[in-house]
Amino acid sequence: MPAPKFTKYFGRIFAGREDRSDPSRGKNELKLIPGNELPSQLDAWWWLVAAVAIIIVLLITLQPDPYWHILRFVRDGLAMTLLLTIISFIFTLLVGIIGGLGRIAKNPVIYFISTIYVEVIRGIPLLVQLIWWYFAAPVAIRTFGEWIGFAPLAEYRSNAFVLAVVGLVICYGAYMSEIFRAGIQSIAKGQVEAARSQGMTYMQAMRYVVLPQAFRVVLPPVGNEFIMLIKDTSLVSAVAMADLTRRGREYMAANFNPIETWTMVALLYLIMTLFFTRILVWFEKKKGYEK
Amino acid sequence: MAAEPIIHIKDVHKHFGRVQALRGVSLDIFPGEVVVILGPSGSGKSTLLRCINHLEVCNSGQIIVDNIVLKSAENINAVRREVGMVFQQFNLFPHLTVLNNITLAQRVVRKRSPKESEDVAMDLLKRVGLESKWESYPAQLSGGQQQRVAIARALAMNPKIMLFDEPTSALDPEMIKEVLDVMTSLARDGMTMVVVSHEMGFARAAATRCIFMDEGQIVEQGHPDQLFDHPTQDRTRLFLSKVLQS
């Protein structure tokens, strides 16, 4: 019997997995050697993305009622989930860089503030934080506005989207600060000394020498945070945001078909996370081996 | 010899926690001098060198470089612009090409145009014999080549003084010569140099003065021929007998 295609195919998948466990992976120096590039083809795990996509398409086409109806019903929630994730992630990166620099700052005030921020935020569940921002923060802002007699604050009308983004960014920013701190600290001290001995200021040394190298180091954990963020946006459904989870709940409440609804919602989250994981792996390879 | 020292070090003390690295070092270095500092490990020679461009801050004493007293952040950067430094571990920027390694500080510190800084970089690469490597990344070069790039990078800032912190200690024996040749030619061109090194051959060939340090103090100094052939201190003699044997 000739070797079936099946074996060949899965052989490639396992080869792909071995590549990932190769000890040379993740070592910056080795990655930086041009001519060592991995083949630019897509990695084998895209088949999983394709499999989930096929399941979704099959469900929609073979059972349009209810799957096609569910998809149509939740698609604005899907868009909201993606929008929340991307906007929150951009701000999270900014907070992470600033927080990470603060955590290694020599200035005791900056170090103290950033450490308190990280420690306090990491100690409170994200759901509680989101609820606090949605229900408590607007009241606090209005009370404060009345107290200082400043009308725009006293008449503050809450915006659910903004408060959801604020909640996600502040929480994820704390974790991101620690990732960036570790990334910056992983760059050898001699790099800063070489930059500074040429007359660069601390910020110039960070910007041109340390951070570009640290970004490569933190790419995998930062990508992880992005995937976690996609999933954690589902918590905003608790604070009146019409995201994918909330739209799913609304559909179930109206149509009483929990199995179909939550299977579809789960598949939609799954394909998003699988898809972005593949994109991140591709991006990591591209960045790591880039000339 | 010029009357005004370009580096004036007076009674400098430095300790790391309880470890006393420098115990009252005074030293004047004049323009055009090539000073080689010798001494056993832990004698404070690297610390002294790093104090000159303020990578280490001394606990007491005074250091004046090119008439600038090291004090605030601004004048530290002013001093560092005039003082090039070459490290034992090269410390090239691994994410940048050889060319960009040499042009980066020129652009952000000296505010030179890309064209001008690249011209300077290519001239210097030619001088250290690596003009064909301008597109390479540090990881593609041998240790000796990396150190020559590091020297070119320091020279690109047009420093008045060059500091070398054990520039050949991390190199394979066969690569040491190519680095020392570059340093010797620099010395011949009249660059003021302070070199921490165990390369006796280089010291004899290029140094105008040798300094022997031990336990955070200058034990003895003089012309290399005199210091190597007729040391006056027992401590120097003991050190030299061990080093020259090998």
Side-chain angles (χ1 to χ4, degrees):
Chain A
M1 212 175 133
K5 268 189 173 168
F6 183 81
T7 324
K8 211 169 136 195
Y9 190 64
F10 276 89
R12 245 200 18 228
I13 291 166
F14 292 126
R17 196 179 59 183
E18 272 159 33
D19 277 354
R20 255 176 292 269
S21 60
D22 180 350
S24 67
R25 242 186 131 260
K27 276 196 188 154
N28 220 11
E29 299 84 354
L30 287 171
K31 276 194 184 177
L32 286 167
I33 301 172
N36 245 14
E37 294 91 336
L38 283 182
S40 61
Q41 71 192 36
L42 299 179
D43 70 305
W45 285 92
W46 279 96
W47 72 267
L48 193 54
V49 183
V52 176
I54 288 167
I55 292 172
I56 293 174
V57 169
L58 283 178
L59 287 175
I60 291 169
T61 47
L62 299 179
Q63 289 273 349
D65 185 17
Y67 291 108
W68 176 239
H69 297 289
I70 297 171
L71 185 62
R72 279 174 54 103
F73 189 85
V74 301
R75 67 182 172 190
D76 53 346
L78 195 65
M80 173 60 77
T81 292
L82 280 171
L83 188 69
L84 259 180
T85 305
I86 289 163
I87 291 181
S88 302
F89 188 69
I90 291 167
F91 284 107
T92 298
L93 285 177
L94 282 175
V95 172
I97 294 171
I98 296 167
L101 288 172
R103 292 275 287 134
I104 54 165
K106 289 212 179 79
N107 181 319
V109 179
I110 296 173
Y111 173 80
F112 182 78
I113 293 173
S114 43
T115 305
I116 289 284
Y117 162 64
V118 168
E119 294 298 334
V120 167
I121 293 300
R122 287 199 304 181
I124 302 170
L126 175 55
L127 182 57
V128 174
Q129 290 187 41
L130 288 170
I131 292 172
W132 192 90
W133 284 104
Y134 185 72
F135 291 104
V139 181
I141 291 171
R142 281 194 289 271
T143 312
F144 181 70
E146 279 161 22
W147 185 57
I148 62 166
F150 186 57
L153 282 185
E155 290 157 22
Y156 174 74
R157 300 278 300 270
S158 61
N159 176 322
F161 184 80
V162 170
L163 290 173
V165 169
V166 167
L168 288 169
V169 166
I170 288 189
C171 181
Y172 266 74
Y175 293 96
M176 203 62 94
S177 298
E178 284 300 274
I179 290 173
F180 275 100
R181 176 187 63 78
I184 293 166
Q185 285 178 333
S186 76
I187 304 303
K189 209 175 143 215
Q191 291 288 307
V192 178
E193 287 184 350
R196 301 222 60 191
S197 74
Q198 287 180 287
M200 284 190 219
T201 63
Y202 177 78
M203 286 316 282
Q204 284 171 335
M206 279 292 153
R207 180 174 158 202
Y208 296 106
V209 176
V210 177
L211 287 178
Q213 296 179 59
F215 276 126
R216 287 196 170 89
V217 177
V218 301
L219 214 47
V222 165
N224 239 357
E225 291 291 298
F226 182 76
I227 303 299
M228 304 238 302
L229 185 59
I230 296 176
K231 294 180 288 175
D232 276 354
T233 55
S234 64
L235 292 171
V236 302
S237 62
V239 292
M241 286 296 296
D243 77 320
L244 180 54
T245 304
R246 188 174 185 92
R247 292 295 282 163
R249 197 181 295 163
E250 285 168 6
Y251 188 87
M252 181 186 67
N255 298 284
F256 307 108
N257 44 4
I259 294 180
E260 294 86 345
T261 309
W262 292 111
T263 305
M264 192 66 190
V265 168
L267 284 170
L268 289 172
Y269 274 114
L270 185 60
I271 196 157
M272 278 195 284
T273 54
L274 290 176
F275 175 77
F276 282 113
T277 305
R278 275 9 286 159
I279 295 287
L280 286 165
V281 168
W282 169 80
F283 190 64
E284 252 173 61
K285 281 182 188 166
K286 184 170 170 276
K287 271 302 178 198
Y289 288 85
E290 159 190 79
K291 296 198 178 185
Chain B
M1 194 134 287
E4 190 88 350
I6 193 163
I7 303 174
H8 174 74
I9 300 168
K10 198 178 160 201
D11 197 30
V12 164
H13 287 78
K14 169 77 188 171
H15 55 81
F16 301 98
R18 281 202 191 144
V19 181
Q20 194 80 27
L22 297 175
R23 315 163 186 257
V25 174
S26 297
L27 180 64
D28 281 332
I29 294 169
F30 295 90
E33 270 200 293
V34 177
V35 177
V36 172
I37 305 177
L38 307 162
S41 52
S43 59
K45 45 196 196 314
S46 284
T47 307
L48 179 64
L49 200 68
R50 291 162 61 85
C51 281
I52 294 174
N53 72 350
H54 237 234
L55 286 178
E56 305 289 355
V57 184
C58 57
N59 299 110
S60 68
Q62 196 180 31
I63 298 176
I64 301 173
V65 179
D66 196 25
N67 291 320
I68 306 168
V69 183
L70 285 172
K71 263 210 186 92
S72 66
E74 294 93 77
N75 76 20
I76 288 167
N77 283 333
V79 165
R80 284 175 175 162
R81 277 195 289 267
E82 309 303 332
V83 181
M85 178 130 184
V86 176
F87 300 85
Q88 183 177 354
Q89 300 297 339
F90 330 133
N91 293 346
L92 292 180
F93 307 134
H95 62 301
L96 298 176
T97 60
V98 164
L99 187 70
N100 286 334
N101 260 281
I102 303 175
T103 58
L104 177 63
Q106 296 187 62
R107 282 182 280 122
V108 304
V109 179
R110 290 268 191 223
K111 309 288 179 206
R112 287 180 188 152
S113 70
K115 172 86 177 68
E116 190 191 354
S117 54
E118 278 166 23
D119 288 346
V120 170
M122 288 312 289
D123 279 350
L124 287 167
L125 280 175
K126 198 171 282 175
R127 182 164 178 187
V128 299
L130 289 170
E131 68 265 49
S132 62
K133 297 285 186 188
W134 65 276
E135 264 183 313
S136 304
Y137 281 82
Q140 294 172 301
L141 304 179
S142 72
Q145 291 172 330
Q146 288 191 46
Q147 194 61 296
R148 279 144 70 196
V149 172
I151 293 173
R153 178 176 71 174
L155 289 173
M157 301 297 285
N158 304 109
K160 293 179 180 164
I161 304 158
M162 285 285 281
L163 308 177
F164 294 82
D165 189 1
E166 306 207 23
T168 55
S169 299
L171 295 176
D172 289 342
E174 53 188 10
M175 291 169 187
I176 290 176
K177 187 176 176 295
E178 64 190 53
V179 172
L180 291 181
D181 285 348
V182 171
M183 289 169 62
T184 310
S185 96
L186 259 184
R188 233 175 261 139
D189 291 350
M191 173 65 76
T192 308
M193 291 162 64
V194 186
V195 185
V196 170
S197 177
H198 297 297
E199 298 297 333
M200 301 296 164
F202 171 78
R204 272 194 200 271
T208 56
R209 180 152 52 127
C210 274
I211 291 175
F212 176 70
M213 281 184 75
D214 190 27
E215 295 185 341
Q217 285 173 320
I218 293 177
V219 174
E220 186 172 358
Q221 54 179 308
H223 190 272
D225 291 337
Q226 181 220 322
L227 190 88
F228 291 150
D229 300 333
H230 309 288
T232 57
Q233 303 291 321
D234 289 343
R235 185 70 193 83
T236 317
R237 233 171 270 143
L238 185 69
F239 176 76
L240 288 175
S241 69
K242 282 180 185 161
V243 173
L244 294 176
Q245 249 172 24
S246 56

